[in-house]
Amino acid sequence: MLCSTTSAGPLEITAQDLRGTWVLYPPAPEGVVSYSLLTFAQGNGGLQGSMYGNMKYAKRVDVQDIALEGNRLSFMTGPTPWRGEFDNATQMRLTWLWTDGSPIAEDAVVARRASRAEVSRIQRIPPANLVQHRLPLPALRELPPNGLAQTPIMGWNSWNHFTVTIDDRAVREIADALVASGLRDAGYVYVIIDDGWQGERDSDGVLHPNSKFPDMRALADYVHSKGLQFGIYSSPGPVTCANYLGSHGYEVEDAKLFASWGVDLLKYDWCSALYLYKTQEEMRAAYQKMGEALRATNRPIVYSLCNYGMFDVGKWARKAGGNLWRISNDSVAGNRWASISDRFDNNGNPEDSRPGGWNDPDMMLIDNGGLTVDESRTHMTLWVMLAAPLILGNDLRKMPGEIREILLNREVIGIDQDARGLQGQRLFREGDIEVWIKELSEVSKAVALYNRGPRKREFAVNWSKIGVSSPRMVRNLWPEVEIRSDSVGFVASIPAHGSALLRVQM
Ligand code: GLA
């Protein structure tokens, strides 16, 4: 083994030491072995690397920006930074991080130098209970509307804060907090357990929750007893994005199981289906397969499609039975403000959204780190202007007062939930300032001004420029933002990355 350090001195790991293959076994659900292989080699331009895991999409990714200093290692896989700390030349502890440097998982994972024998052994580990071959898909047809989600759904999802650490207790506490905070009464009623609840599938094909969820039916009952709705997560692929068991090949069984628990919403995440079904038609058919299975239960279940906006999803999601569909990749990974501001430009086709089916720009990042209060207000403003599902992702058990005020602003929520169900659109942009309009019922319009720049700005808008003639009523929905209006127009003083939101009645 090469290691340029002596036992007495500080540990100095060299590129030579790093070369070769390392193995790590990230925490995995019961019944699933998850592993990653990390390989480093000396290339022409310096150290090169790749990572392969049976986690996530089971694909090889490039390892970039490799840097060694003393006993520390850092590198990137795509936008994800990693830090390693060597215990000795054959073992290190690896942590994956948000782009701001804070850890995603609390515990580091030990990576050890792997022998050839170990590499070939783990590569032969068969995933548990998986149907990994392509299955016949239903002929495409148009499912009739299920009558649900007449306004964008509102609630909370476990992923952005808890990822796979979510458990029965946290779900109950979140349900309690939704009630105590007033959020339930403001409309946030769906409590959605995302990835990480699944255990093993038994020989009868019944999927059991893992030990963190001892009794799913009882948990659903508890959520219902609080006047809330209960949501769950699965995938049309053999495994989910975090490598838990998916519903592939067990769509009917799983839909029945969910209905028997009292599930009111299913989020169905493409993940490993990517390796089986390639075309838009196949994707639509795979979603339709579960859509039909849900309908066959006769339970009203909101169907949330998560395909990261691939293909022209907004054009067929509804036909596959969907009530909302993601229009983009995860906003939680990476720079939070960039994720939100990206939605100004990538917000789905407005004509796809209407009562019964909605473009979903992803779960909210408010109060989950990485956004200022002004940015959080802009996040809320943009989502309500888009008529987006308002699915919170923060730890509601400890929510700062100023965040509560943003999330509970009834008039702002009213813009999102307006009965016409039209998605707002940008009217014009002048430098850093964007002006957006959303047509509302009762001869009203919501007008939003965004300051995407780094400095506070005063901005004047003439009513005539936004199609308003002599407004009868002007409401400033974020009183924190100064607005002066008269019969000609209004002037708003908007903080950096902030926004102003008005409701105007003609
Ligand atoms: C994908 C989805 C996320 C979340 C995770 C769970 O990344 O887009 O919203 O559900 O999977 O593994």
Side-chain angles (χ1 to χ4, degrees):
M1 184 52 54
L2 294 158
C3 179
S4 58
T5 186
T6 60
S7 52
L11 195 52
E12 277 286 338
I13 299 297
T14 66
Q16 280 282 78
D17 297 327
L18 199 60
R19 270 165 42 178
T21 300
W22 300 72
V23 62
L24 51 149
Y25 297 96
E30 292 162 15
V32 178
V33 179
S34 106
Y35 65 85
S36 295
L37 293 172
L38 187 55
T39 304
F40 293 99
Q42 193 68 41
N44 289 339
L47 265 175
Q48 292 176 343
S50 66
M51 193 183 230
Y52 172 82
N54 66 343
M55 295 279 288
K56 205 87 181 168
Y57 310 116
K59 66 182 175 197
R60 191 173 298 281
V61 291
D62 283 342
V63 169
Q64 283 157 333
D65 300 338
I66 304 164
L68 267 172
E69 205 183 323
N71 72 335
R72 286 166 190 275
L73 166 72
S74 61
F75 60 85
M76 306 283 292
T77 55
T80 307
W82 295 75
R83 299 271 176 282
E85 199 173 325
F86 288 86
D87 297 320
N88 53 54
T90 62
Q91 179 173 306
M92 62 175 135
R93 278 163 293 125
L94 273 178
T95 316
W96 56 310
L97 308 165
W98 300 118
T99 44
D100 68 4
S102 57
I104 290 178
E106 252 162 47
D107 299 321
V109 179
V110 171
R112 285 182 295 99
R113 193 170 263 294
S115 66
R116 259 174 211 221
E118 184 170 14
V119 171
S120 65
R121 184 180 62 74
I122 63 174
Q123 283 178 331
R124 285 197 306 270
I125 294 173
N129 293 308
L130 303 187
V131 180
Q132 291 199 85
H133 51 272
R134 290 162 57 89
L135 290 172
L137 293 168
L140 294 183
R141 68 182 181 101
E142 192 170 334
L143 301 192
N146 60 7
L148 303 171
Q150 290 305 303
T151 59
I153 63 150
M154 296 172 63
W156 179 90
N157 173 300
S158 57
W159 187 253
N160 283 1
H161 181 75
F162 290 94
T163 65
V164 296
T165 69
I166 188 65
D167 59 14
D168 178 282
R169 185 173 166 180
V171 174
R172 286 169 193 258
E173 289 174 359
I174 291 291
D176 294 346
L178 276 165
V179 178
S181 60
L183 285 166
R184 177 199 63 186
D185 293 343
Y188 298 90
V189 292
Y190 285 91
V191 178
I192 305 162
I193 303 174
D194 204 279
D195 212 351
W197 63 266
Q198 310 89 324
E200 286 185 69
R201 196 180 286 287
D202 67 24
S203 51
D204 294 329
V206 178
L207 180 56
H208 296 270
N210 59 42
S211 55
K212 293 186 293 138
F213 293 92
D215 186 343
M216 209 53 114
R217 170 83 225 196
L219 180 56
D221 286 348
Y222 184 80
V223 168
H224 289 146
S225 76
K226 299 279 160 181
L228 297 162
Q229 307 267 299
F230 186 65
I232 201 107
Y233 166 101
S234 191
S235 170
V239 289
T240 64
C241 294
N243 205 39
Y244 290 75
L245 297 184
S247 294
H248 186 239
Y250 298 95
E251 291 82 357
V252 171
E253 289 83 350
D254 287 0
K256 279 190 188 149
L257 177 72
F258 300 153
S260 77
W261 288 341
V263 159
D264 307 297
L265 177 148
L266 173 68
K267 171 173 170 183
Y268 210 42
D269 194 355
W270 193 239
C271 303
S272 63
L274 194 67
Y275 294 92
L276 298 175
Y277 305 111
K278 308 280 183 190
T279 65
Q280 165 154 258
E281 286 67 31
E282 287 176 337
M283 180 185 274
R284 176 174 160 190
Y287 275 110
Q288 180 187 313
K289 196 173 187 182
M290 181 52 98
E292 287 172 343
L294 292 175
R295 295 293 170 90
T297 68
N298 284 325
R299 187 178 168 84
I301 299 178
V302 169
Y303 189 27
S304 160
L305 275 46
C306 179
N307 80 334
Y308 335 112
M310 284 160 74
F311 299 123
D312 215 351
V313 58
K315 294 284 173 288
W316 51 259
R318 205 185 279 276
K319 298 178 183 167
N323 297 107
L324 57 155
W325 47 86
R326 283 269 300 273
I327 51 164
S328 56
N329 228 322
D330 297 12
S331 50
V332 74
N335 179 321
R336 309 295 173 95
W337 171 247
S339 288
I340 300 310
S341 54
D342 172 72
R343 297 297 183 272
F344 285 104
D345 308 305
N346 302 302
N347 51 52
N349 298 315
E351 64 273 18
D352 294 339
S353 262
R354 58 183 174 279
W358 308 95
N359 286 324
D360 174 11
D362 203 5
M363 303 167 297
M364 304 182 86
L365 300 179
I366 293 177
D367 190 28
N368 233 330
L371 291 180
T372 65
V373 173
D374 287 327
E375 288 169 348
S376 300
R377 224 172 265 127
T378 294
H379 184 347
M380 184 77 178
T381 308
L382 185 57
W383 261 232
V384 304
M385 289 297 282
L386 294 176
L390 300 180
I391 306 174
L392 310 175
N394 52 329
D395 186 352
L396 302 177
R397 300 168 303 183
K398 31 186 187 207
M399 183 169 43
E402 57 199 1
I403 295 299
R404 185 187 314 243
E405 270 175 37
I406 293 174
L407 301 179
L408 275 172
N409 185 318
R410 298 273 184 140
E411 285 185 276
V412 172
I413 293 172
I415 305 293
D416 185 70
Q417 298 288 303
D418 184 78
R420 280 182 84 182
L422 294 173
Q423 180 168 322
Q425 300 194 50
R426 177 169 41 222
L427 204 59
F428 60 91
R429 179 173 181 168
E430 271 182 39
D432 287 331
I433 304 292
E434 301 206 356
V435 179
W436 285 55
I437 297 282
K438 182 179 195 280
E439 303 291 338
L440 306 172
S441 38
E442 293 163 16
V443 222
S444 300
K445 285 179 203 276
V447 185
L449 261 59
Y450 300 104
N451 178 2
R452 294 176 64 178
R455 269 173 292 281
K456 186 170 180 160
R457 284 280 310 274
E458 285 242 313
F459 195 79
V461 178
N462 278 4
W463 296 126
S464 58
K465 192 149 184 206
I466 56 172
V468 174
S469 57
S470 52
R472 287 204 292 126
M473 189 194 71
V474 180
R475 298 269 312 147
N476 175 6
L477 305 194
W478 294 125
E480 298 81 359
V481 179
E482 198 193 311
I483 293 181
R484 298 184 309 276
S485 68
D486 57 25
S487 58
V488 178
F490 69 94
V491 181
S493 185
I494 325 164
H497 292 181
S499 52
L501 181 59
L502 291 84
R503 187 186 186 106
V504 182
Q505 196 169 27
M506 272 80 73

